[in-house]
Amino acid sequence: MSLETHREELEATAAALARPGTGLLAADESTGTIGKRFAAIDLENSEENRRAYRTLLATTPGLGETISGVILYEETLYQEAAPIAGRPAGSIVDLFKEQGLVVGIKLDLGVEPLAGGLAGETWCTGLRGLQERAARAYARGARFAKWRAVLRISADGCPSELCVRENAWGLARYARTAQEEGLVPIVEPEILMDGDHDILTTAAVQEWVLRSVYEALGQNGVFLEGTLLKPSMTLPGAGASDRSSSEQVAAYTVRTLRRSVPPAVPAILFLSGGLGEEEASVLLSAIHAADPEAPWHLGFSYGRALQHSCLSEWKGNDTAAGQAALLARARANGAAARGAYVAGSEPSGDGGSLFVANYSY
């Protein structure tokens, strides 16, 4: 299929995901990563437990009011739901759709060391066989996709020009391929929080990275109205001596995006990247306050910042408590995606930062 065949559908899907006051639930943790989350609540990383947890997510009442879409790992896309009293067996995909959520799929195959790059630099794998994986996902009901490139800032020169160009090109090749199979691509050039650099350094690097990404997207003929951007907020490194206020983070984030992201992009859905649940909501709301006339929908695509309390409350057996915790953070971020979140107005059990050095999944 050609991109032109899917253009109207891509634009409609992107618009649905950019619904005001909403964002995405990133539930695309790999089997290894979900195992780490389960270990924290002393739960075995079995297929049965993964199915039970993701069924919990899909059946949370009212989730679709503030969550427009969900990103799934490949296992979940093809997984049957855990048994639910009073209803016939069905897929987890169908349960999310019943809630009004658009279903998406993680298509990248993870990062590997970048040959010729500086120490610690990576490139994102998965272009081989991508067209076939995208076509299968579309047939299963997915309508958007995700691909995570990872860059770091360091005193020894990271990111290198090679790393920026390689990851920008990979994102562009993925985006074009996904669109040709009917999937709206989320373009995710994540800049890790690792490091002790200040916010000005982050802003300069992020602007360079985003401009490089959109240059590559243009060279590959990607239809911008049928894409979404998932960037980091503009933050100082986690080890920086001076911490920036929420107003400073918002101001630099908005400035960076205004300089780098075309207005044709329907939505910018921020990743949480190790921010705590409450902090992720407060900062998103501050970003709205800093630019209420932004040309894009400013929303969220959070994983840990939506699920941490949910997992802690669920503990493998308390579905009602887990769903209540998930819904509380979904409401918080829905309000933040309108610039209306009042700090502390929704419960959170994260206790602060969820930062993990050199995070991968």
Side-chain angles (χ1 to χ4, degrees):
M1 302 288 281
S2 70
L3 189 158
E4 292 301 322
T5 304
H6 293 291
R7 189 176 290 260
E8 289 186 8
E9 181 185 20
L10 292 167
E11 192 166 8
T13 299
L17 293 168
R19 180 159 51 93
T22 69
L24 305 184
L25 168 61
D28 57 329
E29 303 90 355
S30 67
T31 301
T33 298
I34 199 71
K36 296 175 185 177
R37 310 275 171 82
F38 284 178
I41 57 172
D42 297 320
L43 188 68
E44 180 188 0
N45 184 17
S46 65
E47 194 277 338
E48 181 181 357
N49 285 333
R50 293 193 299 273
R51 182 173 66 142
Y53 177 61
R54 285 155 176 165
T55 300
L56 175 156
L57 299 177
T59 55
T60 299
L63 189 64
E65 294 178 13
T66 52
I67 304 294
S68 58
V70 57
I71 312 171
L72 301 179
Y73 187 58
E74 186 175 31
E75 176 185 65
T76 316
L77 186 68
Y78 298 98
Q79 201 167 40
E80 293 298 298
I84 303 172
R87 65 170 294 144
S91 70
I92 294 178
V93 166
D94 288 340
L95 291 178
F96 278 117
K97 287 183 175 180
E98 288 176 17
Q99 295 261 43
L101 275 65
V102 183
V103 172
I105 178 66
K106 180 175 106 73
L107 284 177
D108 72 72
L109 299 181
V111 299
E112 292 184 355
L114 175 64
L118 298 175
E121 291 192 315
T122 61
W123 65 290
C124 190
T125 67
L127 290 177
R128 183 185 295 274
L130 175 60
Q131 196 121 25
E132 293 78 9
R133 297 199 309 278
R136 288 197 303 270
Y138 183 93
R140 181 65 177 177
R143 290 298 177 266
F144 71 100
K146 172 194 156 176
W147 183 281
R148 175 180 179 252
V150 182
L151 301 103
R152 67 182 63 249
I153 298 171
S154 70
D156 60 356
C158 294
S160 65
E161 183 171 350
L162 174 64
C163 183
V164 172
R165 288 182 177 274
E166 175 63 35
N167 282 289
W169 193 255
L171 283 165
R173 292 306 307 149
Y174 138 78
R176 175 66 193 227
T177 304
Q179 287 190 331
E180 289 188 358
E181 296 302 326
L183 300 177
V184 167
I186 293 179
V187 176
E188 183 178 356
E190 178 175 0
I191 297 175
L192 296 175
M193 291 172 61
D194 305 56
D196 57 4
H197 50 277
D198 61 20
I199 195 169
L200 284 170
T201 301
T202 304
V205 170
Q206 190 173 37
E207 187 175 333
W208 172 32
V209 169
L210 288 173
R211 285 183 172 177
S212 299
V213 167
Y214 281 101
E215 179 182 6
L217 291 172
Q219 290 171 340
N220 281 271
V222 173
F223 175 51
L224 292 183
E225 288 82 354
T227 66
L228 303 169
L229 175 67
K230 182 174 178 175
S232 320
M233 295 177 187
T234 306
L235 298 157
S241 56
D242 294 329
R243 305 310 300 163
S244 299
S245 67
S246 58
E247 291 79 14
Q248 289 174 314
V249 170
Y252 279 111
T253 299
V254 165
R255 189 188 77 169
T256 300
L257 297 174
R258 283 279 191 176
R259 289 178 172 182
S260 311
V261 183
V265 176
I268 295 173
L269 306 174
F270 294 98
L271 57 88
S272 53
L275 296 172
E277 289 180 331
E278 179 72 3
E279 187 179 18
S281 302
V282 168
L283 289 178
L284 177 58
S285 202
I287 289 169
H288 268 272
D291 194 355
E293 303 301 321
W296 331 271
H297 164 58
L298 298 173
F300 57 92
S301 179
Y302 291 166
R304 286 169 286 172
L306 271 171
Q307 297 182 65
H308 183 79
S309 291
C310 173
L311 276 164
S312 298
E313 293 295 324
W314 174 54
K315 297 184 177 69
N317 54 39
D318 194 337
T319 297
Q323 290 181 334
L326 174 64
L327 203 56
R329 297 322 303 172
R331 286 194 303 263
N333 290 305
R338 298 191 301 271
Y341 181 62
V342 177
S345 60
E346 293 286 355
S348 171
D350 67 5
S353 173
L354 297 173
F355 171 70
V356 177
N358 195 28
Y359 180 68
S360 63
Y361 58 101

